[in-house]
Amino acid sequence: MTDLKRFAKNILMKKQFRSYEKKLNGLKMTYDGWIRQQEEKLRIDKIIISVHEKCLKNEAEKQTQDGFGYKNEGIHSKMIRTPVWYEVRKKEEGTENTVKFLFLPVWQDGKGKEAWIPEIRAFGEDKNTNVILFAMAEGMLSDLALPMLFKTWNEEMPVLVYGDEDVLAEQGREKPWFKPDWSPDTFLSYFYMGSLVALPARAVCECLDQNKQLVEGLSAKEALTRKNAVYELCYQVINRGIGQEISLTGKGCVRHIDEVLYHTAEEGYGAVKEMRLPADCAFGYERQDSWQPEDGKDHLVSVIIPSKDNPEVLFHCISSLTERTKGGIPYEIILVDNGSREENKILIKQNIEALQQKNYPLCRGICYHYESMTFNFSRMCNLGASMAKGDLLLFLNDDMEIIQGDWLVKLAEKAVLERVGAVGAKLLYPDSTVIQHAGITNLHVGPAHKLQFLDDKDDHYYGRNRYVHNMMGVTGACLMLQRKRFEELGGFYEGLAVAFNDVDLCYTLFESGYDNIQRNDVVLYHHESLSRGKDGESEEKQLRLLREKDVLYERHQDCYGKDPYYSKYLTTDMLESEYTPAYHYQVSMDMPWSRVQKKELPENAREDACVVLGMECAMDIYKWKYGVAAGRGKILPAEEDEGYYFQGYAFVIGSDNACYKKTLFLEEKETGEKLLIPVRDCYRPDIDGNLKDQIHTELTGFAAKVHLLDIPKGQYRFGMLMEDGCSRQKLFSYSSWVLRAGEEQVYFDETKRAKG
């Protein structure tokens, strides 16, 4: 390269870098800036807040009148280390509503000394307190806390309220802990409510008076300084407020305010993660005779295993089950074979005969049902269930490996409860600590295995891979539920032959009022997809997966994009593994429509494997919003819904990505015709974090919005053109994703005619 060319290229590169940095700075956002923007959108009624600070040696009263964003420099400029009494009032139409709060710091300081905790009655009754706020970690109330607590208590009269929290550091707010809505089994597992919990003062005093476990031989002050005392107190208050059995029917009594109510000095999870309820609370408020079936007989688990042409894998699973299962619950095994080759059929029968010669005290028999048919997981499971003798059904993939003796007992402990639907286990990849499954989250892009491929040795997002959690669903690779529940709901939906049948069953259970449970204290190995390959690895499988997802949400339209166990402030629009705040890469439909060009790629463009294209979303906008095609939705489409939305990421390996311009293109399968689509660059810190050896990969994300009519009917594959702005280099590559276009327009025409 001549000096002149080198000089010209350097000028071009500097220009590209300046443009890149300007764009990056415009898109980059911190959690602190983003959460403040979200909170500014909230409408909070103005209220009057009187603050009375009770100190060891003096008292001071302060008052402010701004209900949202109120500032009280005497209190909120530092962490609250002494009890504070708040009187919150709202005047309207000649009346005045008042709620009186007592804030009690229960945490201990860094030297391990007890924090000063006042006598509840001495302070609470003097002021006729309505609500007591227990602070489990050093911190301060957020500006939203009292207005939102006041509103909740005024309108709902709950028995317990908790909210979200974050850490207030010198550089601003960070490390948010966005919590699930009322989750009874999570509550029984650990104190997930975190650093701040609000309880009715009267209920607290009554529990302290009546509960010998908390107060026998102790003053109220001493009782509250005991480890776990507030946790036990919450247990008792919830029990009094909900009744004999905690369940999601109590969600109106236990209220989660899904906003940040508390700022901690350090992560509040550390103050509560080791807290446990006493052993006699282990099963919650369920009937103690839950282990006794209605007919008076012992429980029996029917283990149903669908399998075909995998005798080695299958009997590795069965051997681990029979040899490693311990505990007092018996089981039977039902194998459903949909057409193994004759030699494998003979081998399976021989292995079963050999197993039956052995003495496994808990095994009540092995049944082998052979019936040649097209693979349909739902039909095979339903067939196995129809032959079951047990009152509990356990659906188990043939590529599972049992590694924990008490696994069956622990799953059954929850499955036998009347309020419970499906119960699942945590699955790891074989001979590793890498997570394959820790529950199903219902994201906007569909059902997702959160935490997949992450290391289970680490504690992920405040214990999401630990403890027991209520979740929208669990995997059918290991799923237990009562047989009467399964029959009541009609079993697995056979219209979903391969994918999402387990999710469909879990969503049906959830919609029917049952609690689905993920037991992360039950761990199995999953030799994933050895039997039929991985979903989405071919065009055919991808299209089948999309079709079955459409069927899922046509059956569960009210569930689309909703998950009470997953915060609105976490990422819902991307299939990323972590529980990440949504400011990183959430979808925004406010972008302009892209102008599609029907033209060929530049002549000097060449296909190159160094171009990485990852498609993450490609669907019509109505379906993106509501989960189904326009003609099948409950809501009539608007004009802005008549289009497609595309999203993903792209980068060039081994090059400076600040120099490249991205252009998405579609290539029609039959004609080869190409449609070039300009895209908007998106900030993707997740991709950048995974590409430590690449340069300028913060803006690898892209998004585009295209009118329906700009893409003619056909089947297209996706490609990405990367044009170097500092040279003549033009590279492209393809994704395995495909798009079937044209069908959506029919639906829009039908709905317009119906509306007209």
Side-chain angles (χ1 to χ4, degrees), residues 538-656:
S538 68
E539 179 180 308
E540 179 185 356
K541 289 184 177 181
Q542 186 215 336
L543 290 172
R544 185 259 302 160
L545 199 65
L546 292 174
R547 285 194 299 270
E548 293 194 322
K549 189 172 81 168
D550 288 346
V551 172
L552 173 71
Y553 285 115
E554 285 171 12
R555 288 171 51 81
H556 303 282
Q557 291 192 35
D558 292 339
C559 279
Y560 180 70
K562 298 175 184 176
D563 189 333
Y565 312 114
Y566 191 82
S567 172
K568 65 182 181 182
Y569 286 139
L570 292 171
T571 299
T572 65
D573 295 353
M574 309 290 289
L575 285 174
E576 53 94 34
S577 295
E578 282 282 14
Y579 286 73
T580 310
Y583 74 95
H584 281 313
Y585 29 74
Q586 204 76 338
V587 164
S588 174
M589 288 291 179
D590 59 358
M591 70 183 75
W593 296 94
S594 294
R595 297 185 63 182
V596 178
Q597 291 182 293
K598 188 181 296 186
K599 58 185 294 188
E600 290 299 314
L601 299 179
E603 287 186 5
N604 61 334
R606 60 180 172 85
E607 186 173 358
D608 197 310
C610 68
V611 177
V612 176
L613 169 59
M615 292 298 301
E616 296 168 320
C617 178
M619 64 171 64
D620 68 87
I621 293 172
Y622 183 92
K623 187 181 291 186
W624 174 259
K625 287 184 177 181
Y626 305 112
V628 297
R632 298 185 173 94
K634 297 179 179 179
I635 300 172
L636 288 174
E639 189 173 332
E640 60 269 20
D641 299 334
E642 298 186 30
Y644 294 103
Y645 177 78
F646 304 133
Q647 180 173 298
Y649 59 88
F651 56 90
V652 181
I653 298 173
S655 297
D656 191 328

Side-chain angles (χ1 to χ4, degrees), residues 465-737:
N465 59 320
R466 308 281 182 245
Y467 318 114
V468 178
H469 293 275
N470 293 105
M471 298 194 77
M472 280 290 283
V474 298
T475 177
C478 178
L479 184 155
M480 182 183 285
L481 81 166
Q482 295 181 37
R483 186 173 70 178
K484 66 177 183 180
R485 190 91 67 246
F486 185 76
E487 293 172 349
E488 168 193 332
L489 300 178
F492 283 102
Y493 175 60
E494 296 186 8
L496 291 168
V498 182
F500 301 120
N501 30 54
D502 49 357
V503 180
D504 176 79
L505 177 63
C506 289
Y507 286 6
T508 302
L509 287 162
F510 174 81
E511 291 169 330
S512 301
Y514 297 110
D515 305 343
N516 296 320
I517 299 172
Q518 170 67 23
R519 291 211 71 152
N520 288 324
D521 57 349
V522 177
V523 182
L524 285 74
Y525 283 147
H526 187 193
H527 300 258
E528 185 188 27
S529 297
L530 289 177
S531 56
R532 61 180 175 85
K534 295 182 179 179
D535 291 329
E537 66 184 9
S538 68
E539 179 180 308
E540 179 185 356
K541 289 184 177 181
Q542 186 215 336
L543 290 172
R544 185 259 302 160
L545 199 65
L546 292 174
R547 285 194 299 270
E548 293 194 322
K549 189 172 81 168
D550 288 346
V551 172
L552 173 71
Y553 285 115
E554 285 171 12
R555 288 171 51 81
H556 303 282
Q557 291 192 35
D558 292 339
C559 279
Y560 180 70
K562 298 175 184 176
D563 189 333
Y565 312 114
Y566 191 82
S567 172
K568 65 182 181 182
Y569 286 139
L570 292 171
T571 299
T572 65
D573 295 353
M574 309 290 289
L575 285 174
E576 53 94 34
S577 295
E578 282 282 14
Y579 286 73
T580 310
Y583 74 95
H584 281 313
Y585 29 74
Q586 204 76 338
V587 164
S588 174
M589 288 291 179
D590 59 358
M591 70 183 75
W593 296 94
S594 294
R595 297 185 63 182
V596 178
Q597 291 182 293
K598 188 181 296 186
K599 58 185 294 188
E600 290 299 314
L601 299 179
E603 287 186 5
N604 61 334
R606 60 180 172 85
E607 186 173 358
D608 197 310
C610 68
V611 177
V612 176
L613 169 59
M615 292 298 301
E616 296 168 320
C617 178
M619 64 171 64
D620 68 87
I621 293 172
Y622 183 92
K623 187 181 291 186
W624 174 259
K625 287 184 177 181
Y626 305 112
V628 297
R632 298 185 173 94
K634 297 179 179 179
I635 300 172
L636 288 174
E639 189 173 332
E640 60 269 20
D641 299 334
E642 298 186 30
Y644 294 103
Y645 177 78
F646 304 133
Q647 180 173 298
Y649 59 88
F651 56 90
V652 181
I653 298 173
S655 297
D656 191 328
N657 282 271
C659 298
Y660 286 91
K661 173 188 173 184
K662 295 188 282 286
T663 302
L664 185 68
F665 66 90
L666 296 177
E667 183 178 278
E668 212 283 321
K669 184 177 181 180
E670 298 296 331
T671 65
E673 186 176 75
K674 294 179 177 60
L675 303 173
L676 273 60
I677 304 170
V679 297
R680 184 182 70 172
D681 289 329
C682 298
Y683 176 50
R684 291 297 298 268
D686 60 322
I687 303 297
D688 181 56
N690 290 329
L691 300 176
K692 303 294 186 183
D693 57 343
Q694 302 298 313
I695 304 173
H696 287 127
T697 52
E698 300 94 338
L699 297 181
T700 51
F702 67 84
K705 194 168 67 170
V706 178
H707 285 292
L708 280 179
L709 293 177
D710 286 346
I711 301 181
K713 186 174 181 178
Q715 183 166 307
Y716 297 85
R717 64 171 173 167
F718 287 88
M720 179 62 71
L721 173 66
M722 304 290 282
E723 299 180 87
D724 189 346
C726 301
S727 72
R728 296 181 179 180
Q729 187 182 64
K730 295 175 176 60
L731 309 173
F732 68 92
S733 70
Y734 293 97
S735 164
S736 62
W737 276 48

Side-chain angles (χ1 to χ4, degrees), residues 1-8:
M1 182 183 295
T2 64
D3 291 342
L4 183 60
K5 286 184 177 180
R6 188 177 292 108
F7 178 75

Side-chain angles (χ1 to χ4, degrees), residues 401-514:
E401 180 182 351
I402 311 307
I403 59 175
Q404 180 177 334
D406 62 351
W407 72 290
L408 207 57
V409 171
K410 284 193 171 183
L411 292 176
E413 281 175 356
K414 290 293 185 180
V416 296
L417 303 177
E418 283 304 307
R419 65 177 176 82
V420 171
V423 184
K426 177 165 64 180
L427 309 182
L428 303 180
Y429 287 99
D431 302 316
S432 77
T433 57
V434 179
I435 298 170
Q436 188 271 330
H437 172 81
I440 291 172
T441 298
N442 188 31
L443 304 184
H444 204 160
V445 289
H449 294 274
K450 279 290 185 177
L451 306 183
Q452 189 173 19
F453 306 122
L454 300 182
D455 198 324
D456 194 44
K457 289 186 293 186
D458 300 324
D459 200 327
H460 297 287
Y461 203 74
Y462 309 106
R464 295 302 303 203
N465 59 320
R466 308 281 182 245
Y467 318 114
V468 178
H469 293 275
N470 293 105
M471 298 194 77
M472 280 290 283
V474 298
T475 177
C478 178
L479 184 155
M480 182 183 285
L481 81 166
Q482 295 181 37
R483 186 173 70 178
K484 66 177 183 180
R485 190 91 67 246
F486 185 76
E487 293 172 349
E488 168 193 332
L489 300 178
F492 283 102
Y493 175 60
E494 296 186 8
L496 291 168
V498 182
F500 301 120
N501 30 54
D502 49 357
V503 180
D504 176 79
L505 177 63
C506 289
Y507 286 6
T508 302
L509 287 162
F510 174 81
E511 291 169 330
S512 301
Y514 297 110

